[in-house]
Amino acid sequence: MKSPYGLPTECLNCHLRPDSFFCSLLGESLEAFNQIKHASVVPAGATVFQEGQSPRGIYMLCSGQAKLSITSREGKILILRIAKPGDLLGLHAVVTGATYEMTAETMQPSLLNFVLAEDFRRFLKEHGAACLHAAKQIGRDCQEAYDVVRSIGLSHSISGRLAKFLLASASDGRITNGVVLARFALTHEDMGQLVGSSRETITRTLAEFRQKNIAEIKGSILTIHNKSALERIGVA
């Protein structure tokens, strides 16, 4: 069965399955998960859940991207990471019984599989492999959050933080004659929330990178002209 965007809604025959988390489960475990999940396609900019809400369940991101963010009392937003296909959203809250610790918002039309909290916890009890995968993802999510805090807390310059972020974003990019090209769908405001800065500062810093022929963003393409120079900025 296909969704309105032509995306698959069945786990067993899904051609989009990445090699991560539940997507790598086999046999009875995958069949059992397929029986308890409910697929839906949501547009870009949709709020999947909000920080502080009681958890209804987990959401597997099957296609698309989602930004996971936290908000201070003053309303300042910090994006902890960008979720990609294969990630489970709301996992920590459902396993611990706490409220959702962050807000999840889609960045493009996305296919999500939802599983009720009680069904998911029962599934983990009955399938040891899935339980191990869940523990691994919670650990990975914590490590990524530590990395964000470390980057913002220990880096002395916005240009250094932004340089590290651009390098990480282009890690899977195509290299031609030393120039790195990578797809890039974040706004200047998104980048500011990722590196702990303002949109205006990000715009100004990117303009400096472009003027020095180090890196630039045009539309949805990130181009790194001088990777070694960007790396030097990142460690400064």
Side-chain angles (χ1 to χ4, degrees):
M1 184 172 63
K2 296 288 186 179
S3 74
Y5 289 89
L7 299 171
T9 57
E10 294 294 327
C11 292
L12 299 176
N13 301 312
C14 178
H15 66 277
L16 299 175
R17 285 169 61 188
D19 186 21
S20 62
F21 202 63
F22 275 100
C23 291
S24 64
L25 293 176
L26 300 173
E28 293 183 0
S29 294
L30 187 62
E31 175 67 37
F33 183 77
N34 194 61
Q35 293 300 316
I36 61 174
K37 58 88 176 174
H38 306 278
S40 63
V41 176
V42 297
T47 299
V48 181
F49 53 78
Q50 287 188 318
E51 182 180 359
Q53 285 183 333
S54 297
R56 294 181 56 244
I58 60 97
Y59 298 80
M60 173 181 277
L61 182 61
C62 297
S63 70
Q65 288 185 327
K67 54 184 177 182
L68 306 178
S69 63
I70 55 176
T71 306
S72 70
R73 292 181 179 179
E74 296 74 26
K76 186 175 182 179
I77 297 174
L78 176 66
I79 297 177
L80 293 177
R81 67 186 179 93
I82 304 299
K84 298 179 180 180
D87 286 347
L88 281 187
L89 313 181
L91 176 60
H92 180 270
V94 168
V95 171
T96 63
T99 58
Y100 288 124
E101 70 276 17
M102 60 187 74
T103 295
E105 180 183 350
T106 57
M107 301 176 66
Q108 52 191 245
S110 300
L111 173 62
L112 295 167
N113 277 322
F114 172 75
V115 181
L116 286 169
E118 55 268 30
D119 290 340
F120 185 72
R121 286 192 288 263
R122 183 172 58 251
F123 171 76
L124 292 183
K125 289 180 181 179
E126 296 174 353
H127 298 272
C131 190
L132 178 59
H133 280 298
K136 287 182 177 179
Q137 176 161 326
I138 289 175
R140 188 203 66 182
D141 292 347
C142 287
Q143 183 61 55
E144 290 185 354
Y146 297 154
D147 291 341
V148 169
V149 174
R150 184 181 298 111
S151 174
I152 293 175
L154 300 181
S155 179
H156 297 294
S157 69
I158 298 300
S159 59
R161 298 178 206 168
L162 184 57
K164 289 180 180 179
F165 173 70
L166 294 179
L167 288 166
S169 300
S171 59
D172 296 328
R174 177 169 52 89
I175 302 176
T176 304
N177 296 324
V179 176
V180 183
L181 297 175
R183 295 195 63 82
F184 195 84
L186 299 179
T187 65
H188 290 192
E189 184 173 1
D190 289 335
M191 284 184 276
Q193 293 171 356
L194 275 160
V195 302
S197 182
S198 67
R199 177 184 58 81
E200 293 79 9
T201 300
I202 295 299
T203 299
R204 183 169 59 253
T205 305
L206 286 173
E208 293 173 357
F209 288 173
R210 183 176 64 253
Q211 291 168 2
K212 295 177 181 179
N213 200 35
I214 295 175
E216 62 180 326
I217 299 172
K218 288 185 178 180
S220 61
I221 300 297
L222 164 63
T223 303
I224 298 179
H225 299 286
N226 192 334
K227 184 178 180 181
S228 60
L230 201 61
E231 289 172 338
R232 287 194 296 272
I233 296 172
V235 298

